[in-house]
Amino acid sequence: MTPAPRSLGRKIDVEPLPEARWTRIERAVLDTVGTEWPARPSARDETSRAWTWVRGGGGLVLAGALASLLGALTLRVLAQPAPPAPTRVETAANGSHVEFGESTVDVGPESSVRLAGDDARGVMVVVDRGRVECEVTPRHGRPPFMVQAGSVEVKVIGTHFVVTRAGAKATVDVQHGQVEVSNGDGRWLVGAGSHWPVVEPDANADADADPAPTPPAPSPAPAIAPANTPTLAPAVKTARARYEAASRLEAVDPDAALAQYRDLARHGGRWGQNALFAAGRLDADRGNREESRRLLLQYVSLYPDGANANDARELLNRMR
Amino acid sequence: MTPNAAWRPGTPHVRVDDVALARRCAIGDRSAQRDLFLRERRRVHGTLYRILGSNADIDDLLQDAFIEVFRSVSTFRGEASLGTWIDRITVRVAYAHLTKRRVDTVHLSLVPEPKGNDLAADERAMTREAAAHLYSALDRVPAAQRIAFALHVVDGRLIKDVALATNASVVATKVRIWRTWRALERAARRDPLLRDLLLVRAERPTPGDGAESR
């Protein structure tokens, strides 16, 4: 048999399932999971692991040590609380003040919020509607305090901030400290006195002059006006500017351009995505096939539908 | 807080929305669970299909895999991408199926299709039949070998990704694939259809070869 191309999968198609069967499967899965929720696998797993360990180690230690160890482990297992069930807070005309572990959450009027977790495991606040104002004590290495509002996520180490959600839109105002806001387009660090998302007044003005792929569409204007003057989040401007600078550098100092692309790629987002492809392309241009292949494969795997995905695949094919 | 501080070139890049989606699923957010199901269903189906071939139990297996995903999603910490993490669970479900019900496999595509005058359709039917022969031959291969072979040779995944999904070393994965090749080649001597199918094959790894070849 002559060795030849890639995979048999090109010959053997995966037979698609009809949508009706998918619907049945989905309903069965979600119904099963729904009846079990809130699932508590962590506590069960930890308990089971602890007892397995005790059984396995039983023959290896002295009887006295075993007794004390067993006692200690038993206490530990018994003391291991199951994750608390999520709490839902729905408010009408008046808001509500909730103390959640060491932090406080003020739920605004006409809001719907779910709170889950605890200080040891991390706190997750899901804003389904309305507004929450959070005062988070410093986490000191513990899992973060997170707020989810639609596709927007706010990760906190210790600060005071407000998240407002109206439909699919969400805004963040930081009173003090610093939070990390992320959505499908990237991550931003938002500092004290700042508002997210930012409004880029010149975004359309220079769009035609920009030969590079377009930046992440600025998040839609907030439905609720920010308390402060909109502040430009440095990450947005910097990412675009850095990409353009790296692009200009390609002709005169490709090493520096490559370094900038790679650094930018680490930060993800639309410009990080572009930078990852650009780094792969530049490496290919310079004959660094292995590195280029690695970067382009990474691009294709991370962004299979990305703006440059087809170009990346074509480059990869050419390098074979 | 530095965004993506842990990311280095060459390491898996975990999408922010992976972790967020997993968290929402873990707290019982039904819409998130639905999003995850819709986002990953083709991946899970593809993985099961490549490993098991056309299978009468595929609906049950898809359910098992997703239920297991949702039961464990609170343990997802974002060390790998959510897709890779789901792959591992899917592989475990496939492995359990192979080891528990090896003899019961039904190759649906063995049922002959009505003849037509469309050459492409005839070719597709032949390929389907050849695929049925392949999976019949794979039924006689140990489950771990079959999974490694199916993911690498049939599905075209990188060996390192197969190793990750099967929780095995790269070398062990290569050995499994190589042994499966040998078993299939033996079967192909008596089976022209299988032999023709295997003519289109990936580069064959040799045990002990440390390179991450395809």
Side-chain angles (χ1 to χ4, degrees):
Chain A
M1 279 178 281
T2 315
R6 295 301 166 213
S7 68
L8 293 179
R10 292 194 172 185
K11 291 197 94 181
I12 306 170
D13 293 331
V14 175
E15 290 169 17
L17 282 186
E19 198 54 38
R21 275 167 75 186
W22 278 121
T23 306
R24 272 200 304 274
I25 295 167
E26 180 189 336
R27 197 179 307 132
V29 168
L30 296 185
D31 286 351
T32 306
V33 175
T35 56
E36 292 175 355
W37 189 80
R40 300 181 175 186
S42 308
R44 190 176 61 231
D45 290 351
E46 282 170 30
T47 307
S48 139
R49 272 200 297 276
W51 281 111
T52 305
W53 192 89
V54 168
R55 282 199 300 271
L60 303 176
V61 295
L62 294 172
L66 176 65
S68 56
L69 184 64
L70 195 61
L73 273 173
T74 305
L75 279 176
R76 190 178 162 195
V77 167
L78 290 174
Q80 176 72 42
T87 308
R88 180 178 280 282
V89 181
E90 299 253 9
T91 56
N94 296 317
S96 179
H97 176 84
V98 183
E99 294 201 352
F100 204 76
E102 295 174 7
S103 306
T104 61
V105 179
D106 282 301
V107 183
E110 307 292 345
S111 300
S112 173
V113 174
R114 282 170 291 160
L115 304 108
D118 54 32
D119 282 324
R121 293 178 177 83
V123 175
M124 183 72 170
V125 179
V126 179
V127 184
D128 292 321
R129 184 183 74 247
R131 175 182 185 275
V132 290
E133 182 166 353
C134 307
E135 178 80 51
V136 181
T137 53
R139 307 298 295 163
H140 296 305
R142 291 174 299 177
F145 184 106
M146 313 212 36
V147 180
Q148 177 93 43
S151 62
V152 176
E153 187 177 81
V154 184
K155 189 192 281 185
V156 188
I157 291 175
T159 184
H160 186 167
F161 64 100
V162 178
V163 178
T164 308
R165 178 173 179 181
K169 299 169 186 172
T171 61
V172 182
D173 289 284
V174 181
Q175 264 84 48
H176 63 78
Q178 191 177 53
V179 302
E180 181 187 298
V181 181
S182 57
N183 65 9
D185 288 331
R187 300 182 186 199
W188 294 263
L189 289 177
V190 183
S194 297
H195 170 83
W196 184 95
V198 294
V199 179
E200 284 189 281
D202 58 345
N204 292 326
D206 62 359
D208 294 338
D210 184 5
T214 50
S219 303
I224 296 169
N228 305 323
T229 306
T231 316
L232 288 179
V236 176
K237 275 291 181 195
T238 315
R240 180 180 183 153
R242 286 175 63 204
Y243 182 90
E244 288 168 350
S247 175
R248 284 192 294 271
L249 267 177
E250 274 195 33
V252 289
D253 189 352
D255 282 331
L258 207 48
Q260 282 202 23
Y261 281 142
R262 287 183 182 189
D263 190 46
L264 200 50
R266 279 189 207 116
H267 297 273
R270 189 77 60 89
W271 290 104
Q273 189 182 129
N274 293 335
L276 183 59
F277 171 76
R281 173 189 45 76
L282 187 52
D283 262 327
D285 291 346
R286 303 180 73 206
N288 301 331
R289 290 166 59 89
E290 278 308 303
E291 185 58 10
S292 167
R293 192 165 175 275
R294 192 183 65 73
L295 291 169
L296 293 171
L297 279 172
Q298 193 171 39
Y299 180 92
V300 171
S301 110
L302 290 174
Y303 313 110
D305 302 317
N308 302 111
N310 287 337
D311 293 336
R313 288 189 188 100
E314 197 180 320
L315 267 175
L316 282 165
N317 279 334
R318 267 192 246 152
M319 278 190 281
R320 272 175 191 156
Chain B
M1 204 176 338
T2 309
N4 289 336
W7 188 87
R8 294 183 304 279
T11 59
H13 184 122
V14 177
R15 290 162 54 175
V16 176
D17 56 347
D18 277 0
V19 179
L21 184 61
R23 284 206 180 103
R24 286 169 58 210
C25 290
I27 63 166
D29 184 331
R30 187 118 172 148
S31 70
Q33 290 170 344
R34 186 154 192 274
D35 287 349
L36 188 144
F37 180 87
L38 292 175
R39 195 182 101 175
E40 300 296 339
R41 68 183 196 179
R42 291 199 194 291
R43 179 189 194 100
V44 174
H45 180 226
T47 304
L48 288 171
Y49 192 95
R50 294 300 196 204
I51 294 172
L52 303 170
S54 186
N55 192 293
D57 294 328
I58 196 75
D59 291 24
D60 290 343
L61 292 167
L62 282 164
Q63 279 184 38
D64 290 349
F66 273 106
I67 288 170
E68 197 50 44
V69 164
F70 288 124
R71 279 179 180 157
S72 312
V73 74
S74 63
T75 64
F76 176 70
R77 295 283 176 265
E79 286 95 352
S81 76
L82 192 55
T84 304
W85 183 80
I86 289 174
D87 275 346
R88 285 188 204 142
I89 291 176
T90 310
V91 164
R92 282 206 298 271
V93 169
Y95 183 88
H97 178 77
L98 286 170
T99 49
K100 281 176 191 161
R101 296 192 246 173
R102 289 183 62 80
V103 190
D104 300 337
T105 312
V106 177
H107 293 287
L108 299 177
S109 47
L110 280 175
V111 178
E113 295 209 337
K115 286 276 179 192
N117 53 5
D118 179 0
L119 276 177
D122 286 350
E123 197 175 315
R124 279 199 301 274
M126 285 289 281
T127 306
R128 265 202 294 277
E129 196 171 341
H133 285 225
L134 170 69
Y135 282 102
S136 287
L138 286 174
D139 281 345
R140 293 185 286 277
V141 171
Q145 286 185 30
R146 173 187 182 142
I147 290 172
F149 179 88
L151 292 180
H152 177 61
V153 180
V154 183
D155 201 31
R157 298 190 196 190
L158 294 174
I159 285 183
K160 64 174 184 174
D161 293 339
V162 177
L164 208 60
T166 54
N167 203 21
S169 69
V170 167
V171 172
T173 305
K174 285 185 176 180
V175 171
R176 286 171 182 171
I177 295 166
W178 180 73
R179 284 183 177 156
T180 310
W181 266 123
R182 280 205 316 182
L184 289 178
E185 280 177 350
R186 278 196 298 273
R189 282 183 210 135
R190 302 180 301 276
D191 186 339
L193 208 54
L194 179 59
R195 192 171 58 230
D196 288 348
L197 180 73
L198 294 182
L199 281 173
V200 184
R201 65 181 197 179
E203 289 167 28
R204 179 174 154 176
T206 52
D209 173 11
E212 289 175 358
S213 61
R214 290 182 67 106

